[in-house]
Amino acid sequence: MDEASHITPSVYLSNRLTGPELREEWPTTIVHRLDEIVNLYPNRIALKNHDGTSITYTQVKRRVDMIANELLSNGVSPGTRVGILQAPSADWICSLMAILRVGGVYIPLDKKVG
């Protein structure tokens, strides 16, 4: 008999209701989590656009860093509000992450409003 056949129905149900065990400590921010994932899975696909193009975690990090450097060179600092008018895409996600990386405040702009 395998080990699973020894589990009682109540233990099985309890395990199903509580879900998988997750680590208790996570990085301080989502940007730090991205850095961890880049180190673990640098060449895995991170994002796909609606047209089928995709980019890896390493490419995401490069784009985020490039945008973050541009934000810093334009005076964005922690707490600075940064308005973004972009269609949903991999670049939009990278822009959001770059704003968070430099401590800015993401303000989504929408042509449909106003």
Side-chain angles (χ1 to χ4, degrees), residues 74-88:
N74 282 286
V76 174
S77 60
T80 302
R81 289 172 284 208
V82 181
I84 296 293
L85 177 60
Q86 256 180 314

Side-chain angles (χ1 to χ4, degrees), residues 41-47 54-61:
Y41 311 108
N43 298 314
R44 287 197 185 167
I45 294 176
L47 298 170
S54 59
I55 60 175
T56 66
Y57 283 106
T58 297
Q59 291 169 317
V60 167
K61 184 172 180 349

Side-chain angles (χ1 to χ4, degrees), residues 49-95:
N49 283 311
H50 67 281
D51 65 0
T53 58
S54 59
I55 60 175
T56 66
Y57 283 106
T58 297
Q59 291 169 317
V60 167
K61 184 172 180 349
R62 280 190 199 125
R63 285 187 187 187
V64 168
D65 290 345
M66 185 173 45
I67 296 166
N69 285 332
E70 190 65 28
L71 290 169
L72 291 170
S73 70
N74 282 286
V76 174
S77 60
T80 302
R81 289 172 284 208
V82 181
I84 296 293
L85 177 60
Q86 256 180 314
S89 65
D91 286 332
W92 170 68
I93 299 286
C94 292
S95 296

Side-chain angles (χ1 to χ4, degrees), residues 6 9 12 15-16 26 28 31 56 64 73 91 106:
H6 296 290
Y12 174 78
N15 287 343
R16 297 247 331 173
W26 288 88
T28 310
V31 177
T56 66
V64 168
S73 70
D91 286 332
Y106 170 76

